Amino acid sequence: MDNVPGFCSSDTFEENGEESCGGSSVEDGFVDAFGDLAALPVEVGERRPTCLRCRRPQKVCLCPFLPPHPLEVSTCLYVVQHPAEESRVLRTVPLLAACLPTGKCKVIVGRRFNEEKNPELAAVCRDSRTLILYPGPKSQNLEEIVQNQEDGSVKHNVIIIDGTWSQAKNMFLKNSLFHLPKQVQLNRTLSSQYVIRTQPSNICLSTLECAAVALSILERNDDIQEVLLRPLKALCSFQLEHGAQVHHSKEHLLKNGMYDKPMPKNKRKIKRMEKLVTDHAVCPR
């Protein structure tokens, strides 16, 4: 214990566990100081009741915007989620999982994954039918892959990394398992409708939006995209009606002279900022 007014330093303890201050024992001192506090009633904070399906507080439940029955899909999604995403209030993954059958959207939380700790994920990564959704120079256009396959001939697994762009990049680069599946990206022109959270680029999408587009391509059914985006639109509309602000992408802010934060001094970060304005092909990593 530090030296606090009214208490003796811990250096004054004798071998029998009592203090040599005025003949009072340590136990007596603590009872005198904290006895009244211990008698006070403990107030237990009640958490708002949560909807078991959409994982939202019941007062703002989004179930009316979810499909009445889970969508029938042959594709299995594996969402590898950064631990920081678990504590975010406005997450999209619970909405995604609520729209799909049990077992078709599996969420695995962590930063590092390997054969020993994650045998199921490792087996999925080694499966030739597995794709990982991550843009980059080695990525193939998902639509082209599907067009070259016979209708319904392959039941794919799709791995999606859920986190901020920097977290996703770090997880992809530092997990060798994620380099095993075929790397794909979405080339459809679609602006994010997740307007209550800032994206780096106009074409960067939330996890739910990525899954919605990917599933609509793989299942050859554009209605899937509309159904999956409905709860996201409802979530954003509700937040905007209750004081949230529209978040423009960093690309939009930079192009229109609206970026009000200090520019980075690090050359690599400056290059990344320049890429936001000049590179329209993929989301910058």
Side-chain angles (χ1 to χ4, degrees):
M1 179 187 296
D2 293 330
N3 290 331
V4 182
F7 290 87
C8 293
S9 165
S10 56
D11 291 340
T12 62
F13 283 121
E14 295 181 341
E15 288 182 6
N16 61 3
E18 294 183 347
E19 286 185 350
S20 57
C21 279
S24 297
S25 70
V26 178
E27 184 180 352
D28 291 341
F30 276 105
V31 169
D32 291 342
F34 299 115
D36 292 338
L37 289 175
L40 291 175
V42 177
E43 217 174 282
V44 179
E46 292 185 7
R47 296 187 65 180
R48 291 185 293 176
T50 303
C51 173
L52 295 178
R53 187 181 181 198
C54 70
R55 305 294 179 181
R56 297 273 296 157
Q58 288 181 359
K59 287 187 177 180
V60 289
C61 173
L62 292 175
C63 286
F65 304 95
L66 299 176
H69 304 288
L71 296 174
E72 289 297 328
V73 294
S74 60
T75 306
C76 187
L77 300 181
Y78 287 82
V79 180
V80 286
Q81 187 177 76
H82 190 280
E85 287 295 314
E86 285 188 292
S87 59
R88 292 188 185 277
V89 177
L90 302 175
R91 297 176 294 158
T92 65
V93 170
L95 298 177
L96 171 62
C99 294
L100 299 175
T102 303
K104 290 297 184 181
C105 182
K106 301 183 180 183
V107 182
I108 307 168
V109 180
R111 291 185 180 87
R112 301 289 178 268
F113 305 91
N114 58 49
E115 300 266 2
E116 185 179 348
K117 289 195 304 182
N118 313 96
E120 181 185 357
L121 180 61
V124 169
C125 288
R126 294 188 182 282
D127 192 325
S128 61
R129 298 168 299 175
T130 300
L131 309 171
I132 184 164
L133 194 58
Y134 188 87
K138 294 182 180 179
S139 295
Q140 299 180 42
N141 180 3
L142 180 59
E143 281 189 287
E144 290 180 0
I145 291 174
V146 173
Q147 287 170 2
N148 293 331
Q149 294 173 348
E150 294 181 10
D151 188 23
S153 60
V154 181
K155 310 297 184 187
H156 285 289
N157 304 306
V158 178
I159 297 173
I160 302 177
I161 304 175
D162 182 41
T164 64
W165 292 100
S166 58
Q167 287 167 352
K169 179 181 180 180
N170 188 272
M171 289 169 68
F172 178 78
L173 294 178
K174 294 191 176 181
N175 285 283
S176 57
L177 284 178
F178 297 160
H179 302 166
L180 300 176
K182 184 178 293 184
Q183 193 176 332
V184 297
Q185 65 184 36
L186 305 172
N187 284 13
R188 286 189 180 183
T189 303
L190 179 68
S191 294
S192 178
Q193 298 180 47
Y194 194 23
V195 295
I196 55 175
R197 192 167 171 182
T198 304
Q199 304 289 359
S201 165
N202 292 336
I203 61 171
C204 292
L205 305 177
S206 68
T207 300
L208 186 148
E209 289 171 311
C210 287
V213 177
L215 283 175
S216 68
I217 294 171
L218 290 165
E219 301 291 324
R220 303 173 189 261
N221 183 352
D222 288 338
D223 291 341
I224 290 177
Q225 181 175 322
E226 182 183 344
V227 172
L228 288 179
L229 293 185
R230 196 176 297 147
L232 178 65
K233 293 177 184 177
L235 170 65
C236 292
S237 295
F238 178 84
Q239 293 299 127
L240 293 173
E241 287 170 7
H242 290 79
Q245 300 295 316
V246 172
H247 288 225
H248 294 292
S249 69
K250 288 182 182 178
E251 176 191 348
H252 176 90
L253 297 176
L254 287 167
K255 283 182 176 179
N256 293 277
M258 299 164 61
Y259 192 77
D260 57 1
K261 295 182 180 179
M263 293 297 286
K265 296 180 181 179
N266 183 290
K267 289 183 179 179
R268 189 179 60 178
K269 290 183 178 180
I270 292 173
K271 252 188 173 181
R272 196 183 304 158
M273 297 285 269
E274 291 172 349
K275 189 177 182 182
L276 284 174
V277 181
T278 58
D279 190 346
H280 305 285
V282 295
C283 295
R285 293 287 182 171

